[in-house]
Amino acid sequence: MNRHLASLLPYPFERLNALKEGIRPTSNSPHVSLALGEPNHEPPEFVIECLSDQTVLHRGLTTYPATRGDITLREAIAQWLKRRYFIDADPDTSILPVNGTREGLFSLGQAVLSGEPNAITVLPNPFYQIYEGAAFLRGTTPYYVPATERPEIEEIPTDIWQRTELVYVCSPGNPTGYVADRELLSFLIDKAQQHDFIVAADECYSEIYLKENEPPIGLLEVAASMGLPKFNRCVAFNSLSKRSNCPGLRSGFVATAIALTTGVRCPSMCRSQVNGHG
Ligand SMILES: Cc1ncc(COP(=O)(O)O)c(C=O)c1O
């Protein structure tokens, strides 16, 4: 057994259920659900049509999907990244579909964290629990940055940066709705170059915003504008779960500069690959 398993904390919804145990609503007020954050809107009709297509269904059910995903899918993701963030991500080397970003966010931690007892994973607080699970299971210490109106990432002391191997940033943030600005993301990217760690941006809420002409900025977009066209030490996640109301599809992607062809064999090797060839 992984000796770090015991350090995992119960999921928030388990804790919430325990807190709600035996409580009955007392008024006729409308019910505001604080349960699992499923979308309240319909998925696009063409997705339903496609999934109902007998030929597509048959092919999908009778073949193993490749880990790298279909090139058509990776190209579509690359085109979306171009339209949305004006970046050139190579569909062959920079994009990997994931069966849900939750799984991808977790796996990234297992791949890039060294497991050294002194290592630190920086994450917002409150947070999407998988960040903490990934940090704990690799035996790193989480360093929590309060998710205030503007998280004080600049206040993180140097000795913490020196031990940091991975930073999870969630923008737009769950649950606060905080949107990271260019200044904050470029500060993080600079620190990552300086102290040799990975920034993982969870951007699954990127398409939910108030002003039509002000979409939230993305990590890779900022990295590219800083002259890091291969997004050194930057990894961004996105998902169809929120933007397309399709959490059941388990379809998302991770975009990065880790060359898919070299493979990931062990955490320390992955770390040097990520850092050396970004
Ligand atoms: C902040 C955040 N990141 C990631 C996810 C995971 O999304 P999925 O695994 O469906 O892509 C969620 C889902 O609620 C979330 O709130």
Side-chain angles (χ1 to χ4, degrees):
M1 289 288 268
N2 182 329
R3 67 194 160 86
H4 303 299
L5 211 53
S7 52
L8 293 183
L9 299 170
Y11 235 60
F13 300 110
E14 268 176 63
R15 303 207 304 266
L16 184 65
N17 286 341
L19 286 170
K20 291 196 309 191
E21 184 77 38
I23 298 178
R24 297 279 165 268
T26 51
S27 75
N28 294 328
S29 310
H31 177 224
V32 178
S33 173
L34 296 177
L36 202 65
E38 274 158 359
N40 287 323
H41 303 283
E42 288 301 310
E45 195 52 42
F46 77 87
V47 174
I48 311 267
E49 275 166 25
C50 192
L51 289 174
S52 322
D53 181 315
Q54 293 298 308
T55 320
V56 173
L57 258 186
H58 190 265
R59 199 181 57 227
L61 290 175
T62 54
T63 51
Y64 282 111
T67 305
R68 293 178 59 156
D70 198 279
I71 181 63
T72 321
L73 174 61
R74 278 183 278 124
E75 278 172 357
I77 295 168
Q79 284 157 15
W80 183 78
L81 285 167
K82 179 82 177 170
R83 284 199 304 279
R84 176 63 174 83
Y85 295 119
F86 319 103
I87 54 171
D88 292 303
D90 183 341
D92 275 331
T93 56
S94 304
I95 293 169
L96 193 61
V98 291
N99 290 339
T101 46
R102 180 181 54 189
E103 291 74 1
L105 287 159
F106 176 79
S107 304
L108 179 83
Q110 308 317 290
V112 304
L113 292 167
S114 68
E116 298 293 332
N118 216 19
I120 282 188
T121 300
V122 174
L123 42 133
N125 189 24
F127 48 85
Y128 184 53
Q129 187 133 350
I130 210 72
Y131 314 148
E132 191 190 57
F136 277 147
L137 265 195
R138 281 299 292 156
T140 62
T141 307
Y143 183 88
Y144 302 99
V145 180
T148 47
E149 207 170 315
R150 191 184 189 288
E152 292 177 358
I153 286 187
E154 287 96 338
E155 304 302 316
I156 297 177
T158 306
D159 65 307
I160 296 294
W161 285 129
Q162 284 164 346
R163 293 160 52 201
T164 296
E165 293 186 345
L166 177 61
V167 173
Y168 284 110
V169 54
C170 184
S171 174
N174 175 6
T176 62
Y178 161 75
V179 179
D181 55 22
R182 180 182 290 276
E183 195 191 353
L184 188 131
L185 292 175
S186 43
F187 175 84
L188 261 181
I189 295 169
D190 268 340
K191 284 285 175 207
Q193 311 310 312
Q194 207 179 326
H195 295 289
D196 193 15
F197 60 77
I198 308 290
V199 184
D202 178 355
E203 297 178 349
C204 70
Y205 293 97
S206 67
E207 303 318 290
I208 302 173
Y209 48 90
L210 290 174
K211 294 188 185 156
E212 194 55 42
N213 55 355
E214 284 180 33
I217 201 161
L219 180 75
L220 302 186
E221 178 180 8
V222 176
S225 73
M226 289 168 72
L228 303 171
K230 292 200 176 223
F231 326 125
N232 303 31
R233 300 178 176 85
C234 297
V235 180
F237 291 84
N238 217 310
S239 163
L240 294 185
S241 298
K242 322 292 173 184
R243 74 180 289 278
S244 304
N245 306 314
C246 292
L249 259 189
R250 310 309 298 133
S251 180
F253 71 84
V254 52
T256 177
I258 303 172
L260 302 181
T261 44
T262 52
V264 174
R265 288 181 193 87
C266 70
S268 57
M269 190 172 165
C270 173
R271 200 163 150 68
S272 64
Q273 280 172 357
V274 173
N275 297 329
H277 302 293

